[in-house]
Amino acid sequence: MKIIVQFSDNETVLLNATPEETLFDAAKRQGLRWPIDCAEGVCGSCKCQIISGTVDHGFYTDEALTQEEITAGYALGCQTRAKSDLIVSLRMPLARLRRAAPPMLSAHIVRLDTVAKDTVHLVLQLNQPIEFLPGQYAKLKVPGSNDWRAYSFTNIPNHDQVGMLIRLLPSGQMSDYLRRAQVGEVLELTGPHGIFFMRDYSSPAVMIAGGTGLGPMLSMLQTLAADDRASAMQSARLLYGVNDAAEIACLDILEAVKKKLPGFSWTISVANASAQYRQGFATDLLDDFTAADVASTTFYLCGPPPMIDAGRAKLKNLGVSEEKIIYEKFIASQ
Ligand SMILES: Cc1cc2nc3c(=O)[nH]c(=O)nc-3n(C[C@H](O)[C@H](O)[C@H](O)COP(=O)(O)OP(=O)(O)OC[C@H]3O[C@@H](n4cnc5c(N)ncnc54)[C@H](O)[C@@H]3O)c2cc1C
Ligand code: FES
């Protein structure tokens, strides 16, 4: 079967695939690094859109691929097999997919600060600078195991220090390690990974963050604040939701961004009752938006899967098209 893959930079690649191969397998065999994470149909990182042709979707969870997305033509590259010739669209520039696999790096902890309830900001010194797009993430190896965990970068790219905003879960492997970790300890990481990154510097952006889903937004916002192109951006708005007011983190970084980016504003919602903040979920803040507000706006959503699903449903009701909704689900480790 012939598979034409179209990319966001208007490039096209022709692949051939056997009936047994997934789209990812066929791409890999022919030197194309299809974006992938779990390889098991549960994370959605490998999603593409089938423009024409028929496929077998294979295994997938609702978290990774909803029925609505299937109806709209979406499929998971790591699971999908072609049943006919296909035209497939990947919302990534081809240039990125021709690069070598992300390197394995060594890092040591230079800071591990508690910045809110059950939330730490981990800062790592790398053995070499890492090039990433604001919004992408690294995988950290849990010390003493062969397990890896994904954490989004919070800082501006291309530094030899990287930050991560991490929620400490009860009895989580990495969470338990971080509760006892000390400055100077060495960690292994790979990166960058992921397709959640700032797409457009000129049109308005609305970022919806749940809990530590704020992390990648901090990277995007600080990058915007340091970028001349951001002056063309009409506005950047952050809708930030937490369960409890004590979980609100990194307001100092938001204040610093605001000083450099006058069009930036943020609103906080707290699920539990709070005297100071609006009660509800981050996605409830979308109830204030009208169809006129969302025209030409790109939406970035990051956080727990139910928040992303609720946000996408609301945006769809407001008439926002799928291409304008960029999201990443913080799915628990597989
Ligand atoms: C793309 C991506 C980016 C991410 N970025 C971030 C980020 O920037 N910040 C962030 O905080 N998180 C992020 N995450 C989530 C992160 O990768 C981890 O999943 C999270 O930190 C939990 O890891 P852990 O090792 O502490 O817990 P795990 O060991 O994975 O356990 C998770 C929870 O499940 C429970 N559990 C484990 N095993 C069982 C069992 N057998 N039965 C019942 N319960 C069980 C644990 O008690 C714990 O509460 C991201 C996830 C993805 C997919
Ligand atoms: S890489 Fe395909 S669903 Fe995770």
Side-chain angles (χ1 to χ4, degrees):
M1 258 101 48
K2 290 195 183 339
I3 300 175
I4 297 170
V5 190
Q6 300 174 341
F7 298 89
S8 61
D9 48 3
N10 293 326
E11 298 280 358
T12 303
V13 163
L14 175 64
L15 302 173
N16 57 66
T18 66
E20 294 76 34
E21 278 180 320
T22 64
L23 301 184
F24 165 75
D25 290 334
K28 187 176 172 195
R29 180 170 54 75
Q30 288 155 91
L32 192 68
R33 206 164 57 79
W34 194 287
I36 192 167
D37 191 357
C38 70
E40 292 175 359
V42 300
C43 77
S45 294
C46 58
K47 203 171 290 170
C48 60
Q49 191 171 19
I50 310 296
I51 307 295
S52 72
T54 52
V55 297
D56 171 359
H57 284 280
F59 172 81
Y60 56 89
T61 63
D62 287 347
E63 303 285 16
L65 188 69
T66 62
Q67 283 306 319
E68 207 174 27
E69 286 175 315
I70 291 177
T71 307
Y74 287 89
L76 300 177
C78 76
Q79 301 295 313
T80 299
R81 291 173 173 81
K83 287 168 71 179
S84 70
D85 290 348
L86 301 178
I87 299 178
V88 176
S89 167
L90 258 181
R91 289 161 64 189
M92 290 206 90
L94 173 61
R96 290 204 69 75
L97 302 186
R98 283 213 169 119
R99 294 211 182 142
M104 183 80 75
L105 302 173
S106 168
H108 66 265
I109 300 175
V110 287
R111 274 176 39 206
L112 183 56
D113 302 327
T114 299
V115 290
K117 183 183 164 204
D118 297 328
T119 309
V120 295
H121 192 215
L122 171 69
V123 180
L124 298 173
Q125 174 72 46
L126 306 176
N127 61 348
Q128 63 183 78
I130 186 167
E131 192 188 329
F132 63 89
L133 297 169
Q136 287 190 298
Y137 65 92
K139 288 185 189 173
L140 291 187
K141 192 172 185 188
V142 182
S145 81
N146 284 322
D147 296 330
W148 295 80
R149 299 288 185 266
Y151 296 106
S152 307
F153 298 112
T154 54
N155 57 298
I156 293 180
N158 306 332
H159 283 272
D160 57 3
Q161 284 195 358
V162 292
M164 291 154 192
L165 187 67
I166 301 179
R167 180 165 168 76
L168 302 183
L169 299 179
S171 308
Q173 273 194 72
M174 185 58 108
S175 303
D176 285 349
Y177 164 73
L178 290 172
R179 282 191 186 90
R180 58 174 193 273
Q182 301 290 325
V183 167
E185 288 184 6
V186 174
L187 291 169
E188 286 175 67
L189 79 153
T190 70
H193 299 278
I195 53 171
F196 182 72
F197 57 86
M198 192 101 203
R199 305 296 164 101
D200 180 0
Y201 283 74
S202 56
S203 61
V206 171
M207 301 172 182
I208 307 174
T212 49
L214 179 67
M217 310 307 192
L218 294 177
S219 178
M220 291 181 185
L221 287 166
Q222 292 179 100
T223 304
L224 275 177
D227 192 313
D228 292 341
R229 284 177 294 175
S231 57
M233 180 175 261
Q234 293 153 35
S235 69
R237 189 165 169 199
L238 171 70
L239 312 180
Y240 174 29
V242 290
N243 289 321
D244 189 300
E247 293 170 4
I248 297 169
C250 302
L251 290 183
D252 53 334
I253 298 179
L254 299 184
E255 298 281 2
V257 168
K258 172 77 186 160
K259 283 191 183 130
K260 292 188 183 158
L261 204 63
F264 171 56
S265 63
W266 71 87
T267 312
I268 295 175
S269 66
V270 176
N272 300 329
S274 151
Q276 199 182 346
Y277 298 101
R278 191 159 148 176
Q279 189 175 0
F281 299 114
T283 48
D284 292 340
L285 298 170
L286 285 173
D287 295 342
D288 297 345
F289 285 62
T290 64
D293 292 329
V294 303
S296 78
T297 299
T298 305
F299 289 83
Y300 298 88
L301 290 78
C302 186
M307 185 208 90
I308 307 289
D309 294 339
R312 290 176 65 211
K314 288 198 176 197
L315 291 171
K316 196 178 163 221
N317 285 340
L318 281 166
V320 180
S321 63
E322 277 287 340
E323 307 83 69
K324 291 283 184 185
I325 307 174
I326 318 293
Y327 64 91
E328 179 151 86
K329 295 180 177 181
F330 278 4
I331 296 169
S333 331
Q334 293 92 42

